[in-house]
Amino acid sequence: ICPATMTYPEDVLAPIMDAAASYEAKRDGAALVGINMEGPYISPGNIGAQNPAYLHLPDEAMFRRLQERSGNLIKLVDVAPEVDGALDFIRSVSSDVRVSIAHTQADYDTACAAIEAGARQMTHLCNAMPPLHHRKPGPIGAGSEREAVVAELICDGQHVHPSAVRMAFRLFPGRICLISDALRCCGMPDGQYTLGGQDVFLYGGVAKLADGTLAGSATNLYDCMRKAVEFGIPKEQAILAATLIPAREIGREKEIGSIESGKLADFVVCDEPVSALDVSIQAQILNLMEDLQDELGLTYLFITHDLSVVHHFSDDIAVMYLGKLFEKAPSDELFDHPMHPYTQALLSAIPVPSLHNRKKRIIMKGEITSPINPPKACRFAQRCPYATERCTGEEPELRDYGNGHSVAC
């Protein structure tokens, strides 16, 4: 996580930085990989949900004191480029920390000057900044023209309209960094909470100040990524914007942000790990893997044809045929309610150790489709007992049927 501080005076921010420096993540907890110092160097004219009582002009000495106390955890510092001393501050610190344009009333020229001085990021694009206008392009226009500038985006369905989300991904191709901007009320029930010394009221998943001002979000980053896909952003772009791009912006892309050899790993691919083993040895290996998972917080991608092992070992199951995902569901849901004909046939082949509870075996007939040149239709159609003309001319999409159960049929 890379949480944001609020607009506070130095005597309040200092112990926050001390706490961050001394934080030690538990094995099953989140690692603190950075801090976004969102205030207090912002504009009183676009304060958003920050507390105007604690605003402070950009101060290099103050920033460096706080950075030292944090143990150099501050990876982003937010600045409104139009306030007094902002451009000099950006020039002084931009070689040591990533500077982001935020909570600003800057016009196009001032935003350009900030970027020339070393600013390379825009905090929650479209929020707490002038909108894009054909005669006054403002900071959005300035940032979109410069390939070194990355734009953060809160994609919770509240802060930015879906059309504006799509526009942002076009204006900043490969340069959108999805953020949650989540408050402490994220995941909590409706009620009254606090934010930077101000009351926040959460109702129906929307957090606002007492005057109705939209505060931060009450949504996690994963759901923001899913919203982006719902709004029409290609999955590949949405995933990149929620993983590698954020890691790159805080200088951790060599360790995290993607699944690559040499990076920190909590994701293990297990390709038929126990298929050729004796049953007793299988059990020992599976128990060892479960112990390691509990101890190290690992995620396994477990690839196998042994469905009895899958049911015992996996939380969620995805059934594939010739490289195509046909069905996906939580383990118990899939075994209790298999929906795809191929899944039903596979489960019918699992031996049942009982003389009185025999299952009817589903025998698949027909020829297997060529994996080298699969048709642009259902790949199981030639073997499916329920196939229709539509199945041979149209490739089914994966659809959600509730309870986490999706089927392509």
Side-chain angles (χ1 to χ4, degrees):
I1 57 172
C2 183
T5 58
M6 294 296 297
T7 293
Y8 278 126
E10 184 175 1
D11 62 346
V12 176
L13 289 172
I16 292 174
M17 300 303 174
D18 291 340
S22 62
Y23 173 78
E24 294 184 6
K26 298 179 180 179
R27 283 195 180 276
D28 59 348
L32 180 63
V33 296
I35 297 170
N36 175 15
M37 188 172 161
E38 190 168 347
Y41 310 142
I42 56 178
S43 169
N46 229 333
I47 196 71
Q50 303 283 339
N51 195 328
Y54 303 130
L55 291 178
H56 198 293
L57 292 177
D59 184 330
E60 181 186 356
M62 170 187 171
F63 167 75
R64 295 198 182 280
R65 287 192 296 270
L66 292 170
Q67 179 70 297
E68 182 177 2
R69 295 186 72 152
S70 76
N72 292 312
L73 272 173
I74 301 175
K75 305 300 182 183
L76 299 161
V77 61
D78 292 6
V79 180
E82 74 274 19
V83 301
D84 290 345
L87 295 181
D88 287 338
F89 175 84
I90 294 171
R91 293 188 191 97
S92 298
V93 305
S94 59
S95 60
D96 302 314
V97 67
R98 194 170 184 87
V99 178
S100 188
I101 297 172
H103 289 273
T104 178
Q105 289 186 308
D107 58 16
Y108 173 82
D109 291 333
T110 305
C112 289
I115 295 169
E116 291 299 318
R120 291 293 180 268
Q121 191 140 323
M122 305 186 74
T123 296
H124 43 57
L125 191 74
C126 302
N127 294 113
M129 65 178 59
L132 183 66
H133 187 276
H134 62 287
R135 285 193 294 270
K136 299 177 181 179
I140 298 177
S144 68
E145 295 173 340
R146 289 157 175 83
E147 293 186 0
V149 176
V150 169
E152 298 175 1
L153 195 65
I154 309 171
C155 194
D156 62 349
Q158 301 292 333
H159 282 75
V160 184
H161 190 279
S163 176
V165 170
R166 293 187 290 270
M167 179 189 70
F169 271 84
R170 288 193 295 269
L171 287 174
F172 293 81
R175 295 183 285 132
I176 290 292
C177 173
L178 289 178
I179 61 170
S180 68
D181 202 49
L183 308 178
R184 65 176 64 183
C185 59
C186 179
M188 300 296 286
D190 288 350
Q192 183 174 340
Y193 300 88
T194 60
L195 175 69
Q198 303 178 95
D199 290 330
V200 170
F201 301 88
L202 178 67
Y203 181 74
V206 181
K208 295 183 178 181
L209 301 182
D211 64 1
T213 299
L214 191 63
S217 85
T219 308
N220 61 62
L221 181 60
Y222 182 75
D223 286 341
C224 288
M225 181 188 72
R226 293 182 64 180
K227 281 285 185 184
V229 175
E230 288 179 17
F231 295 161
I233 304 305
K235 287 183 180 180
E236 294 79 3
Q237 292 184 30
I239 293 171
L240 186 68
T243 54
L244 185 57
I245 291 176
R248 192 163 57 213
E249 301 323 296
I250 60 172
R252 296 292 298 272
E253 73 277 11
K254 293 182 179 180
E255 304 165 66
I256 57 177
S258 60
I259 301 171
E260 295 181 50
S261 178
K263 290 193 174 184
L264 296 179
D266 56 6
F267 183 90
V268 182
V269 178
C270 309
D271 192 351
E272 300 284 5
V274 296
S275 296
L277 301 178
D278 177 81
V279 173
S280 61
I281 303 299
Q282 279 189 8
Q284 293 179 45
I285 296 297
L286 292 173
N287 289 335
L288 174 61
M289 291 175 68
E290 288 184 325
D291 290 342
L292 289 172
Q293 185 177 43
D294 291 339
E295 180 182 350
L296 302 177
L298 300 176
T299 296
Y300 293 131
L301 176 60
F302 194 85
I303 305 169
T304 184
H305 288 82
D306 189 338
L307 293 180
S308 58
V309 170
V310 168
H311 192 195
H312 164 74
F313 191 74
S314 301
D315 297 305
D316 296 277
I317 300 174
V319 179
M320 301 185 71
Y321 183 81
L322 295 179
K324 180 70 177 180
L325 180 61
F326 275 176
E327 187 163 5
K328 181 172 70 70
S331 181
D332 288 340
E333 167 69 18
L334 186 130
F335 270 76
D336 291 341
H337 305 102
M339 298 176 68
H340 197 283
Y342 179 58
T343 307
Q344 294 170 358
L346 289 177
L347 297 187
S348 76
I350 298 176
V352 176
S354 172
L355 295 175
H356 308 290
N357 186 25
R358 294 187 177 185
K359 294 188 299 183
K360 182 180 179 181
R361 178 76 184 273
I362 300 174
I363 306 298
M364 292 184 290
K365 300 179 181 180
E367 296 184 4
I368 299 176
T369 302
S370 170
I372 299 175
N373 187 28
K376 294 181 179 179
C378 178
R379 301 183 184 189
F380 188 62
Q382 294 186 36
R383 308 182 74 191
C384 180
Y386 308 107
T388 66
E389 184 176 346
R390 181 182 179 186
C391 300
T392 58
E394 179 181 336
E395 186 170 18
E397 296 181 0
L398 194 69
R399 298 182 184 277
D400 186 358
Y401 288 89
N403 297 323
H405 203 147
S406 300
V407 182
C409 186

